[in-house]
Amino acid sequence: MTVDPTGAPTTALLTDHYELTMLQAALAAGTAHRRSVFELFPRRLPEGRRYGVVAGVGRALDALERFRYDDAALAALREGEVVDGPTLDWLADYRFGGDVWGYAEGETYFPSSPLLVVEGTFAEAVLLETLLLSIYNHDSAIASAASRMTTAAAGRPCIEMGSRRTHEEAAVAAARAAYLAGFASSSNLAARQRYGVPTAGTSAHSFTLLHDSEADAFRAQVTSLGTGTTLLVDTWDVAEAVRLGVEVAGTGLGAVRLDSGDLGVLAVRVRAQLDELGATGTRIIVTSDLDEFAIAALRSAPVDAYGVGTELVTGSGHPTCGFVYKLVAREGADGTLQPVAKSSPDKASVGGRKYALRRRDAHGVAEAEVIGIGTPPRDDGDDRSLLVPLVRGGEVVGREPLEVARRRHLASREELPVAARSMSKGEPVIETLHVGD
Amino acid sequence: MTVDPTGAPTTALLTDHYELTMLQAALAAGTAHRRSVFELFPRRLPEGRRYGVVAGVGRALDALERFRYDDAALAALREGEVVDGPTLDWLADYRFGGDVWGYAEGETYFPSSPLLVVEGTFAEAVLLETLLLSIYNHDSAIASAASRMTTAAAGRPCIEMGSRRTHEEAAVAAARAAYLAGFASSSNLAARQRYGVPTAGTSAHSFTLLHDSEADAFRAQVTSLGTGTTLLVDTWDVAEAVRLGVEVAGTGLGAVRLDSGDLGVLAVRVRAQLDELGATGTRIIVTSDLDEFAIAALRSAPVDAYGVGTELVTGSGHPTCGFVYKLVAREGADGTLQPVAKSSPDKASVGGRKYALRRRDAHGVAEAEVIGIGTPPRDDGDDRSLLVPLVRGGEVVGREPLEVARRRHLASREELPVAARSMSKGEPVIETLHVGD
């Protein structure tokens, strides 16, 4: 049985063992089919962060459609004696048939924002826990870091180059999340193929070293890739390489890349040299362990673009968001939907189905994240509702082009108080209010 | 064209744009076919770490076999105008035909350890850069953290439960890497299916909340999963839940899980209560943001197993290893292989092909990482050679069962000086020596 006409593999084993054993026990107890509401939310922002960015929505919807137990998956579960026969039979027919609402992709978020509200039977909704959390926790961590970097870059393009520093598939998702949060392009070719993310590339030291001289390398690159190419100028002596680059490519040379040393100092020197040589339009691209702080520190330097790698794909100190997926309401023995919550000392949760809006003042500036418990909060006229339908009766209805999410992010960030643009540590820029119930 | 009979997708676009544009320029310049040696190595260990663990070897070999440009990949490159026609033609026939040597999976490593030596034409070897780095940087970061955790656990089993806190595919690789470094099991079902990693599961708060009472939930779980199951006892009152658990399951209850609060204090109380109830064999599993330090701190507590999530899958503060892939030698215009290196101020590299051995004293304790430049270092009689053949003439020869790598890791760690078992920050436990040239 192939679960997807494009041949994409099933996502149904990208989950935790206990989701399936809980399912088995609930099926046997007759509670598996109770109507349930799960919520995916952050308990807090990473320390010092002013806001977070929702990413992974589109990927989660794709993954949901491919969440089917094919023969190979069922065989693995059977051979491993993970669950019993009746549970395997139930899984063979599994298809999520419930409803999902959520924050639209690119939206900013705050502590307790109900990023996803999943309604279905316990059985069909609990199975999605691990996969939804994996996608949201990763992609949102990257987008949240990326948004700070594009803020710090203040309009200069950021290029995502971190694929080599993270898992090869995480790299593709990271490129997508970075683009969503304002990056201009990525080095990742699979992100181009799958998501239409623009890709760009310069060249590596190995290319220079391959040739018998730097001059040979530059000539080879310019001849094949055109004068608009980006030459890497720090293999040996930067000033000599810049001189050589302009000699080989002419004053129309596209760009030079600096990948080591004191980038601010070097950029000033290289700019002066390029200008003196008449290459006034040649751009300077800097790379080398940049994060949002290094980008901000280079604001006064004559830098034209930032290539960002490690710190982007590792979330700049916060590689995961810590989102959780909790049962907040379920049908009781009497058939009514009842709020539920645990009371563990350091992990208490708020029961009840949530609604959310972004409270804005008369100038459109965000003031608060208002979360309604059990009922939607009242819109004061300038507010903005945050939950949109993503899945209805099992059918994905929330798919949208990545460009739409990209524009949404910029608009949502623009709406925040100016403190959101600060790189320094601080509290979330707006407060979270729980109302109703 | 399907590149793999199992239907696994090609890995050839999990790479950076510039690898392909460099290829194009080198093909045009006639330098693409120069015999070249690339080396994958760490410049240093993450700050404070005493040793690192090589992981990802098996995954890299799998990925190498699937590194082919199929029609869809070529179409994406053509539509994106990433490279020119002659380069596309060359890519269509691409198949790595060179040789690869490397540290065996599970081996410990130190600064400058030549973890992979890739020899082939520049064209065929440069294309693998990004993918090899992605796999090694991720998997080794997880295994390096996992090894510290299993050391801290001092024989008590560690269970990997971090899937939800990392990218869904990174989660599978993380489960594999953790098992390799001594974890007993994982929650990740895809890791079971793909790599035979044992899986285990307990149950979530949602399962308790689904039911009308904790008693109903426990009865449902024990009835279906047997008395050997693990009951989650901190949804509300721990003491009451423990009492109830033994009442429902009897004194043969398998285990209880604590997921919040002061785990050390709670474990003592719960152990006393279980013993008093006669459930002397019931184990206590603790979870909740554990890292190697928290595990070590619980050494004196009556804990039977640790469930580790976030800190494992994020490398406990070091989510990537910072491995680089550098051209260290290549055929010159005269046909001889010549060492090459760049001299960037903060990123200088050592040219020349490398060999490596672990120098050991007469008691078999590791003393130094000896790296031969251009020629193998001399074995003093107690030493151990570190590079093994992984690929010969394009054919994978280094595949091995994961269990073999798991045993190798324990042996390699055991061989290190005792300071390797310290959780505190320090220098690498053995020094790296470069010899020869």
Side-chain angles (χ1 to χ4, degrees):
Chain A
M1 175 174 70
T2 299
V3 295
D4 186 294
T6 69
T10 172
T11 54
L13 290 186
L14 297 170
T15 191
D16 286 324
H17 190 114
Y18 83 171
E19 313 290 6
L20 274 71
T21 50
M22 286 193 285
L23 170 67
Q24 173 183 319
L27 284 170
T31 47
H33 306 300
R34 288 185 168 191
R35 191 154 63 94
S36 296
V37 181
F38 282 86
E39 182 186 325
L40 185 150
F41 65 96
R43 293 189 192 280
R44 61 191 74 85
L45 296 182
E47 198 204 331
R49 289 281 179 88
R50 308 306 184 94
Y51 65 94
V53 180
V54 182
V57 181
R59 291 213 310 120
L61 296 175
D62 291 346
L64 179 69
E65 286 187 333
R66 294 190 283 116
F67 199 96
R68 309 284 181 86
Y69 289 85
D70 60 13
D71 291 343
L74 293 170
L77 297 174
R78 189 180 300 112
E79 285 157 25
E81 299 181 1
V82 175
V83 286
D84 62 16
T87 307
L88 290 173
D89 292 344
W90 189 90
L91 289 173
D93 295 328
Y94 177 77
R95 185 182 179 293
F96 180 73
D99 301 318
V100 182
W101 295 263
Y103 279 42
E105 190 152 21
E107 188 60 82
T108 53
Y109 74 81
F110 297 91
S112 300
S113 294
L115 303 185
L116 279 177
V117 176
V118 178
E119 182 167 347
T121 65
F122 177 81
E124 65 185 353
V126 77
L127 283 184
L128 302 177
E129 175 176 27
T130 309
L131 182 59
L132 292 176
L133 282 172
S134 289
I135 294 172
Y136 270 68
N137 270 323
H138 174 268
D139 291 15
S140 300
I142 306 305
S144 296
S147 178
R148 284 165 59 83
M149 291 168 179
T150 55
T151 294
R156 291 173 179 170
C158 293
I159 309 163
E160 189 282 307
M161 300 181 166
S163 296
R164 63 190 58 196
R165 297 298 169 86
T166 188
H167 182 280
E168 68 276 18
E169 281 293 334
V172 187
R176 179 183 182 280
Y179 183 64
L180 168 73
F183 269 58
S185 57
S186 165
S187 63
N188 191 287
L189 288 171
R192 166 191 280 279
Q193 182 188 36
R194 295 188 207 167
Y195 304 117
V197 174
T199 59
T202 62
S203 96
H205 295 103
S206 64
F207 184 80
T208 299
L209 295 173
L210 167 67
H211 293 87
D212 296 313
S213 69
E214 200 166 42
D216 279 3
F218 285 3
R219 270 192 292 269
Q221 186 174 336
V222 170
T223 301
S224 176
L225 302 170
T227 55
T229 194
T230 300
L231 294 174
L232 178 59
V233 293
D234 73 339
T235 303
W236 296 295
D237 181 83
V238 172
E240 170 55 20
V242 170
R243 190 199 62 69
L244 188 63
V246 177
E247 180 182 301
V248 167
T251 53
L253 173 63
V256 295
R257 175 161 79 102
L258 297 168
D259 183 48
S260 56
D262 185 324
L263 298 173
V265 171
L266 274 178
V268 169
R269 277 193 211 148
V270 168
R271 181 74 271 155
Q273 186 185 1
L274 286 169
D275 290 348
E276 200 175 314
L277 292 167
T280 54
T282 300
R283 300 186 312 141
I284 298 176
I285 301 176
V286 295
T287 57
S288 187
D289 293 334
L290 296 179
D291 60 11
E292 63 268 44
F293 304 105
I295 292 170
L298 287 166
R299 204 170 284 176
S300 65
V303 165
D304 298 287
Y306 304 95
V308 189
T310 304
E311 291 301 319
L312 185 276
V313 299
T314 57
S316 196
H318 300 291
T320 188
C321 290
F323 297 147
V324 293
Y325 183 85
K326 296 293 170 189
L327 182 68
V328 292
R330 55 101 183 105
E331 193 179 343
D334 65 357
T336 65
L337 201 67
Q338 300 162 349
V340 293
K342 63 175 173 169
S343 61
S344 316
D346 48 353
K347 292 182 176 174
S349 52
V350 178
R353 191 214 182 100
K354 310 299 187 311
Y355 300 83
L357 59 74
R358 183 80 29 94
R359 182 141 294 157
R360 301 187 294 186
D361 67 16
H363 305 288
V365 177
E367 289 185 316
E369 192 81 339
V370 187
I371 300 172
I373 303 169
T375 174
R378 195 172 51 85
D379 186 330
D380 284 351
D382 297 304
D383 302 344
R384 195 159 61 77
S385 183
L386 292 167
L387 290 172
V388 300
L390 297 174
V391 179
R392 271 204 201 105
E395 293 303 316
V396 170
V397 297
R399 196 169 270 119
E400 60 181 11
L402 188 56
E403 295 292 340
V404 173
R406 184 170 145 90
R407 285 195 295 273
R408 178 182 298 114
H409 174 61
L410 292 179
S412 178
R413 185 174 72 182
E414 192 60 30
E415 181 187 83
L416 299 178
V418 289
R421 279 162 236 157
S422 165
M423 291 299 114
S424 60
K425 287 189 176 182
E427 296 297 311
V429 285
I430 60 173
E431 64 182 335
T432 299
L433 304 173
H434 284 91
V435 298
D437 198 17
Chain B
M1 174 174 71
T2 300
V3 296
D4 187 292
T6 68
T10 172
T11 54
L13 290 186
L14 297 171
T15 191
D16 287 323
H17 190 114
Y18 82 170
E19 312 291 6
L20 274 70
T21 51
M22 285 192 285
L23 170 67
Q24 174 183 318
L27 284 171
T31 47
H33 306 300
R34 288 185 168 191
R35 192 154 62 94
S36 297
V37 181
F38 282 85
E39 181 188 326
L40 186 149
F41 65 96
R43 294 190 191 281
R44 61 191 73 84
L45 296 183
E47 198 203 331
R49 289 281 179 88
R50 308 305 183 95
Y51 66 92
V53 180
V54 182
V57 182
R59 291 213 312 117
L61 296 175
D62 291 346
L64 178 69
E65 286 187 333
R66 294 190 283 114
F67 199 95
R68 308 285 181 87
Y69 289 86
D70 61 12
D71 292 344
L74 292 169
L77 297 174
R78 190 179 299 112
E79 284 157 25
E81 301 182 358
V82 175
V83 286
D84 62 16
T87 307
L88 291 173
D89 291 343
W90 189 89
L91 290 173
D93 295 328
Y94 178 78
R95 186 181 177 294
F96 180 73
D99 300 318
V100 182
W101 294 263
Y103 278 42
E105 191 152 22
E107 188 59 83
T108 52
Y109 73 81
F110 297 91
S112 300
S113 294
L115 303 185
L116 280 177
V117 175
V118 179
E119 182 167 345
T121 66
F122 176 82
E124 65 185 353
V126 77
L127 283 183
L128 303 176
E129 175 176 28
T130 309
L131 182 60
L132 291 176
L133 283 172
S134 290
I135 293 172
Y136 270 68
N137 270 322
H138 175 268
D139 291 14
S140 300
I142 306 306
S144 297
S147 177
R148 283 165 59 83
M149 293 168 177
T150 55
T151 294
R156 291 173 178 170
C158 293
I159 309 162
E160 189 282 306
M161 300 182 166
S163 296
R164 63 190 57 196
R165 296 298 169 86
T166 188
H167 181 280
E168 68 276 17
E169 281 292 335
V172 187
R176 180 184 182 280
Y179 184 64
L180 168 73
F183 270 56
S185 57
S186 165
S187 64
N188 191 286
L189 288 172
R192 166 191 280 279
Q193 182 188 36
R194 295 187 208 168
Y195 305 117
V197 174
T199 59
T202 61
S203 107
H205 295 104
S206 63
F207 184 81
T208 300
L209 296 172
L210 167 67
H211 293 86
D212 295 314
S213 69
E214 200 166 41
D216 280 3
F218 286 3
R219 270 192 292 269
Q221 185 174 337
V222 170
T223 301
S224 177
L225 302 171
T227 56
T229 194
T230 301
L231 294 174
L232 177 60
V233 293
D234 72 340
T235 303
W236 296 293
D237 182 83
V238 172
E240 170 55 21
V242 169
R243 190 201 59 73
L244 188 63
V246 177
E247 180 184 302
V248 167
T251 53
L253 173 62
V256 296
R257 175 161 79 104
L258 298 168
D259 183 47
S260 55
D262 185 323
L263 298 173
V265 171
L266 274 178
V268 169
R269 278 193 212 149
V270 168
R271 180 74 272 153
Q273 186 185 1
L274 285 169
D275 290 348
E276 201 175 316
L277 292 168
T280 53
T282 300
R283 301 186 312 140
I284 299 176
I285 300 175
V286 295
T287 57
S288 188
D289 293 334
L290 296 179
D291 60 12
E292 64 268 44
F293 306 104
I295 291 170
L298 288 166
R299 204 170 283 177
S300 65
V303 165
D304 298 287
Y306 304 95
V308 189
T310 304
E311 292 301 319
L312 184 276
V313 298
T314 58
S316 195
H318 299 291
T320 187
C321 290
F323 296 148
V324 293
Y325 184 85
K326 297 294 171 188
L327 183 68
V328 293
R330 54 102 184 107
E331 193 180 342
D334 65 357
T336 64
L337 201 66
Q338 301 161 350
V340 293
K342 64 176 172 168
S343 61
S344 316
D346 49 353
K347 291 182 178 174
S349 52
V350 178
R353 191 215 182 100
K354 311 298 187 310
Y355 300 83
L357 60 75
R358 183 79 31 93
R359 180 142 295 158
R360 301 188 294 186
D361 67 16
H363 306 287
V365 178
E367 289 186 314
E369 192 81 339
V370 187
I371 299 172
I373 303 169
T375 174
R378 194 171 52 85
D379 186 329
D380 284 351
D382 297 305
D383 302 344
R384 196 158 60 77
S385 183
L386 293 167
L387 290 172
V388 300
L390 297 174
V391 179
R392 272 204 200 106
E395 293 303 316
V396 170
V397 297
R399 197 168 269 119
E400 61 181 10
L402 187 56
E403 296 292 340
V404 173
R406 184 171 147 88
R407 285 196 295 274
R408 178 182 298 114
H409 174 61
L410 293 179
S412 178
R413 185 173 74 183
E414 191 61 30
E415 181 187 82
L416 298 178
V418 289
R421 278 161 235 156
S422 165
M423 290 297 115
S424 60
K425 287 189 177 184
E427 297 296 311
V429 285
I430 60 172
E431 64 182 335
T432 298
L433 303 173
H434 284 91
V435 298
D437 197 16

